[in-house]
Amino acid sequence: MNLIDNFYTQIIRVFNDGVFGLNLGNLAIIFVSVIVSLMIRGVVARVLVNKVKKIVTRTSNKIDDKLFEALVPPFRLLPIVVVFLAITLYFDIESTLGLYMQKINNTLSTIFVFWLIHQALIPFSNLFNKLESILSKGLVLWIIKSLKYLIIFLGIVAVLEVWGIKIGPVIAGLGLFGVAVALGAQDLFKNLISGIMILLEKRFQLGDVISVPGHTEGTVEHIGFRSTLIRKFDSTPITIPNYIFAEAPILNYTNRNYRRINWTIGLEYNSTLVQIKELTQIISSYLKDNDSFMVNDDYKSFVRIEKFNDSSIDILIICFTSTQDWDKYLEIKEDLAVKIKDSVEKIGLSFAFPSQSIYIEKTQSQ
């Protein structure tokens, strides 16, 4: 009987005392409140958010649309924050559970505030895009990312402060560990500093076509903290550590003012001097009179006899097209090639090709 009585006494005590001094009724209230908060969260997400969205979309301003879309996720947390605030007010603040509930409520409120700030930075980041005329696009993206990471860091520090954890002593305690990590992460810091120098010096930017001798050439798609992503011309992505750009000469084809044509055409040796002069004159006039070519004191064109080759008289043609567009550049080159071919045929010249002549000397028999 004593065993049964003790078991009954324990059951009654659990019903009356519960956990942390709360009876099962209070625990049921907490459980129901959490369920209600989750239900309200769903209602806010499906009803209230949709109604506000309809109002926002009626305005002609695009910033409020982006701001609304960015703030929807943190606002879904708001009902849970409100419910936990109500639960905190329900319990005695001097009790152990009341103290923990207050810390939980403060934690949720802190997360909500910093989440709002983090999300609000997304639409207002368009204001930073105006700095692209002063800074590079990659550097602007770095600034935006750094601000986001800073907000996340401050949010974590604020949450730790709520729970009584001082971040200062923690950082000081990690000092020796940080030194050890720094020694083992020299390449990481080297890449980071090199990446910053790339953006500050504007050696290349996103979308530029560059060549890294000994590594690759292609279009710059992303400049990260540690590496840079380049898309090769065959659409293959390749990631290169940033420190390589600080040590290697970089060819930036996008920064060229104009694209150059550098050709050498060979004419047969039976070509007359009059025919060669006529051909060079026709090509020179074509380059000067055609708007597709840039001919001035800074960008000169040359159509000259270069040298007497083994099996041809070589004519050097150097000129600059008035475009940087690759497709237009190929079209201009094709037109020039057609003009040269047509002129060679009309004048009566012929293109040379590698050949050898064999002369057999007849000897008089004795």
Side-chain angles (χ1 to χ4, degrees):
M1 294 297 295
N2 291 334
L3 180 61
I4 297 176
D5 292 340
N6 290 334
F7 180 71
Y8 177 77
T9 302
Q10 291 295 332
I11 293 177
I12 296 300
R13 187 181 64 81
V14 170
F15 270 88
N16 292 332
D17 297 338
V19 182
F20 295 107
L22 294 176
N23 57 39
L24 293 183
N26 292 332
L27 293 176
I29 292 175
I30 296 175
F31 179 75
V32 172
S33 300
V34 173
I35 298 299
V36 170
S37 67
L38 294 176
M39 294 175 60
I40 295 176
R41 176 180 177 273
V43 172
V44 171
R46 287 178 295 181
V47 179
L48 183 60
V49 170
N50 292 333
K51 289 185 178 181
V52 176
K53 185 176 182 179
K54 291 180 180 179
I55 298 175
V56 172
T57 53
R58 294 175 183 173
T59 62
S60 58
N61 192 355
K62 298 296 183 181
I63 297 181
D64 57 358
D65 297 342
K66 295 181 179 179
L67 180 62
F68 171 77
E69 294 176 359
L71 296 182
V72 167
F75 269 112
R76 288 176 177 172
L77 181 65
L78 184 60
I80 300 178
V81 176
V82 174
V83 169
F84 269 89
L85 176 61
I87 295 175
T88 303
L89 298 176
Y90 177 76
F91 296 107
D92 184 9
I93 190 64
E94 300 296 334
S95 64
T96 302
L97 182 60
L99 180 61
Y100 279 107
M101 293 300 299
Q102 184 181 22
K103 289 185 177 182
I104 293 175
N105 179 64
N106 292 339
T107 300
L108 292 175
S109 301
T110 302
I111 294 174
F112 174 73
V113 171
F114 279 94
W115 196 0
L116 277 179
I117 298 175
H118 180 273
Q119 292 298 108
L121 187 63
I122 297 176
F124 287 106
S125 62
N126 294 331
L127 300 177
F128 290 96
N129 295 334
K130 298 180 179 179
L131 298 175
E132 291 183 6
S133 57
I134 303 176
L135 307 175
S136 64
K137 184 177 180 180
L139 184 57
V140 172
L141 293 177
W142 269 37
I143 293 175
I144 296 174
K145 286 184 179 180
S146 299
L147 289 176
K148 291 181 179 179
Y149 290 144
L150 177 61
I151 293 173
I152 294 174
F153 174 76
L154 294 178
I156 294 175
V157 171
V159 171
L160 292 177
E161 291 287 344
V162 169
W163 291 91
I165 301 175
K166 301 297 182 181
I167 192 63
V170 174
I171 296 177
L174 294 176
L176 296 177
F177 177 75
V179 172
V181 172
L183 293 176
Q186 294 182 8
D187 291 340
L188 176 62
F189 289 108
K190 181 167 63 173
N191 289 325
L192 177 61
I193 295 174
S194 299
I196 295 175
M197 295 307 299
I198 290 172
L199 296 174
L200 292 178
E201 294 177 356
K202 297 183 179 181
R203 302 182 66 183
F204 55 83
Q205 302 181 29
L206 298 179
D208 286 359
V209 178
I210 66 172
S211 175
V212 187
H215 294 85
T216 187
E217 62 179 12
T219 304
V220 180
E221 285 196 353
H222 176 70
I223 304 175
F225 292 102
R226 193 191 68 85
S227 60
T228 295
L229 176 63
I230 297 177
R231 181 77 59 175
K232 299 171 63 176
F233 296 126
D234 62 355
S235 75
T236 302
I238 180 172
T239 302
I240 299 180
N242 286 335
Y243 78 90
I244 291 179
F245 299 105
E247 300 175 356
I250 307 300
L251 303 178
N252 192 331
Y253 296 122
T254 302
N255 283 349
R256 295 178 300 187
N257 294 327
Y258 308 103
R259 290 182 178 270
R260 189 182 69 167
I261 297 176
N262 187 351
W263 283 350
T264 299
I265 61 175
L267 302 177
E268 292 182 345
Y269 267 100
N270 58 9
S271 305
T272 65
L273 181 60
V274 175
Q275 289 175 317
I276 295 176
K277 287 293 186 180
E278 183 179 358
L279 177 63
T280 57
Q281 183 61 37
I282 291 176
I283 298 175
S284 297
S285 300
Y286 178 79
L287 297 177
K288 293 179 181 179
D289 299 336
N290 196 325
D291 294 334
S292 298
F293 298 93
M294 180 61 58
V295 181
N296 51 38
D297 293 337
D298 296 325
Y299 300 94
K300 297 182 179 181
S301 63
F302 300 93
V303 183
R304 295 287 187 269
I305 298 176
E306 183 181 21
K307 64 178 179 179
F308 296 98
N309 214 332
D310 293 338
S311 57
S312 64
I313 300 176
D314 290 344
I315 307 297
L316 177 65
I317 301 176
I318 297 178
C319 58
F320 293 88
T321 61
S322 58
T323 182
Q324 295 186 29
D325 183 77
W326 175 252
D327 293 337
K328 185 64 176 177
Y329 169 72
L330 293 179
E331 181 182 345
I332 294 174
K333 285 180 62 178
E334 181 182 27
D335 293 340
L336 178 59
V338 171
K339 179 64 177 179
I340 295 174
K341 181 71 164 58
D342 181 67
S343 300
V344 168
E345 293 177 351
K346 288 182 177 179
I347 297 174
L349 295 171
S350 297
F351 293 104
F353 53 89
S355 61
Q356 291 182 342
S357 299
I358 300 176
Y359 299 93
I360 300 176
E361 183 178 356
K362 293 182 179 180
T363 58
Q364 187 176 3
S365 60
Q366 295 295 331

